[in-house]
């Protein structure tokens, strides 16, 4: 059998500047302080950079009916979408841990809807950080192009 490698070309936007990265990280850390997490006590914050240059932050919001909880990343994205934003360039996630935590599968799918080539940066309470792109986290993702 022969193996075929398929490339899906992407058109990444401009990378966030160091100043934008600092602003995103600060916004994500501040958002975590607003987390409503009485059940897990795991306070997560996220911030996104949109194509317009605006930053939107969000925190995780838990619910006694656990399936109705919302992650910080999705809170930030839904806030941006409600303001008319449609393109994400970068996502920063902050968790109060020693190791950085990447977005869950549901958040990766929502990021894909608005930022299929987004930079994803995860930070925590140590100096460790993870930086990758959404195509690395969610290869061959299902998205709007699949419905055309």
């Amino acid at each position: 059998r022969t193996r075929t490698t398929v490339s899906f070309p992407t058109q990444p936007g401009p990378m966030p500047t160091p100043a934008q990265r600092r602003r995103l990280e600060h916004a994500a850390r501040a958002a975590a302080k607003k987390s409503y997490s009485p059940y897990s006590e795991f306070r997560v914050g996220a911030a996104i950079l949109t194509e317009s240059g605006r930053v939107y932050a969000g925190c995780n919001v838990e619910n006694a009916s656990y399936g109705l909880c919302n992650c910080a990343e999705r809170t930030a994205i839904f806030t941006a979408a409600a303001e008319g934003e449609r393109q994400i360039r970068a996502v920063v996630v902050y968790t109060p841990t020693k190791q950085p935590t990447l977005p869950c599968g549901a958040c990766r799918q929502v990021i894909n809807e608005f930022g299929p080539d987004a930079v994803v940066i995860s930070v925590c309470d140590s100096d460790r950080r993870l930086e990758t792109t959404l195509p690395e986290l969610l290869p061959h993702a299902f998205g709007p192009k699949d419905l055309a």
Side-chain angles (χ1 to χ4, degrees), residues 98-119:
K98 292 180 182 178
Q99 298 287 336
T101 303
L102 291 166
C104 73
C107 288
R108 293 175 191 197
Q109 185 62 47
V110 172
I111 294 166
N112 182 68
E113 184 76 16
F114 297 98
D117 297 309
V119 172

Side-chain angles (χ1 to χ4, degrees), residues 46-76:
I48 63 167
L49 175 65
T50 62
E51 192 62 37
S52 71
R54 291 188 62 192
V55 171
Y56 295 86
C59 61
N60 58 322
V61 179
E62 295 182 348
N63 189 284
S65 177
Y66 295 147
L68 299 178
C69 296
N70 202 56
C71 296
E73 299 93 310
R74 286 182 281 147
T75 299

Side-chain angles (χ1 to χ4, degrees), residues 7-32:
S7 282
F8 294 92
T10 58
Q11 298 174 359
M15 298 292 283
T17 66
Q20 288 171 323
R21 289 167 187 259
R22 285 190 300 275
R23 188 168 151 216
L24 286 164
E25 184 174 340
H26 177 76
R29 288 177 183 275

Side-chain angles (χ1 to χ4, degrees), residues 86-108:
R86 296 295 181 261
Q87 293 183 317
I88 295 172
R89 288 179 43 206
V91 179
V92 172
V93 181
Y94 162 76
T95 53
T97 55
K98 292 180 182 178
Q99 298 287 336
T101 303
L102 291 166
C104 73
C107 288
R108 293 175 191 197

